[in-house]
Amino acid sequence: MRGNDWLETVMADIKGWWHRVWRKKQPTCDIADPAALVASFLNGLLRGIAPDRERLMAILYQPLADRSRWWLAAVRKLAADEGKLTAAQGDSAWRLARILFLPSYWQAILKGPHPELKEELLEVWGLMAVPDVAPLLRTAVMDRVPTVGLVAAMDYARWPGPEVTAFFLELLLAEGGPWLDRSGRALALRRQTEGIDIWLGLLQLARDERENVRARAWAVVTSFGPLAEAEEATVGAAVDDGLMEALQDPSVPVRIRALEALGSVARPSLVRQAVAQLSNGDGRIRVEAVRALGRLALLNLLAPEDRQLAYAGVAACLHDDDYRVVGHAQQVLPYLVEG
């Protein structure tokens, strides 16, 4: 715990004790509009003016929930014109939050059962890029309520810095929650700025000793789509190598995810490996192999000889014992003819 955080915790404890013992002696908040007063504190901090001590004490004696509500209103009003706070505005807003002893209160809110309060906080935190917001966003990412966790993931994914990418890659190792979806969406959003590092991280996870981690890595790749030009030049060969290795994986879920990724990222160099999976003993793998070949054909990425090879393999699937394989083969076959 940093020194300032410890000091704020101690001061909050002392103030709570003071409130209980000297409750009758405390000044009441006789300000006509406390929300406007908090907004004036924020405007003053933007000009380098600290809040008036007497009026600040009147606000500090009010419940944390009220202080948080007034702070949120002040920040929303400040951001209303441009839709986002400048760096200076964000710093001043967070300084006011610390003066009002709000960060520790917000941490408690994030650990509690009130999604509507968390959503309200995220709405405002998303307007500012203040370093102290990052730990709160990371906590919110782990919330099981989608309207909280997913929004926090998208907000945090927009932050600069390699530690953000590292966080979402590490999230793929976590068990027992909707972490795959949140990590996948966040990493897909970050590809424009850290695409190479993301690919390298995912390829490393794709070779993890744990089956579920390998499957998750390829599931994230499935959400990416084709490689960008810079990605192709740098990691294209490594992606192909990783997929070829995954298509030989003893795990059925890993092979399925790898075939999904093959079609999504459009790797025509792996047509023969996909065709080979059409004879796999597991019907789920054969289904995904058919779908991957259909995706490549739909994108018109198949060379004539590869198209003929894929056509022959998918046509044979029309007589498969698994009705799912037959159904997908019927859908895909016309794309292999029309090329």
Side-chain angles (χ1 to χ4, degrees), residues 86-231:
T86 65
Q89 289 172 334
D91 289 340
S92 295
W94 200 256
R95 183 183 174 194
L96 178 59
R98 295 177 69 87
I99 290 173
L100 298 178
F101 296 96
L102 293 176
S104 57
Y105 166 72
W106 290 334
Q107 281 284 10
I109 290 295
L110 292 177
K111 296 175 183 178
H114 303 291
E116 67 284 353
L117 296 179
K118 302 174 190 178
E119 293 167 12
E120 190 175 13
L121 290 171
L122 288 171
E123 178 188 350
V124 174
W125 292 344
L127 302 174
M128 57 179 65
V130 179
D132 286 322
V133 176
L136 296 170
L137 289 177
R138 288 194 293 268
T139 299
V141 168
M142 307 306 291
D143 197 289
R144 293 182 178 275
V145 177
T147 53
V148 176
L150 189 56
V151 170
M154 294 297 95
D155 283 344
Y156 191 44
R158 295 183 178 90
W159 282 56
E163 70 278 2
V164 180
T165 293
F167 170 81
F168 285 111
L169 287 171
E170 187 175 349
L171 188 59
L172 291 173
L173 305 177
E175 301 289 348
W179 319 133
L180 172 59
D181 179 57
R182 294 176 192 181
S183 179
R185 290 172 183 251
L187 292 171
L189 184 63
R190 294 185 63 78
R191 275 182 67 196
Q192 291 185 348
T193 57
E194 296 191 28
I196 303 303
D197 290 338
I198 290 172
W199 276 108
L200 293 176
L202 288 172
L203 290 173
Q204 182 177 356
L205 292 176
R207 292 183 170 90
D208 193 274
E209 62 181 10
R210 289 160 289 187
E211 171 189 3
N212 59 347
V213 174
R214 299 196 302 275
R216 290 172 193 168
W218 290 118
V220 172
V221 171
T222 300
S223 68
F224 279 7
L227 277 67
E229 184 175 349
E231 294 173 336

Side-chain angles (χ1 to χ4, degrees), residues 54-67:
E54 183 176 352
R55 294 194 298 170
L56 175 60
M57 291 304 295
I59 292 295
L60 288 178
Y61 283 129
Q62 305 313 304
L64 280 162
D66 288 339
R67 284 183 252 161

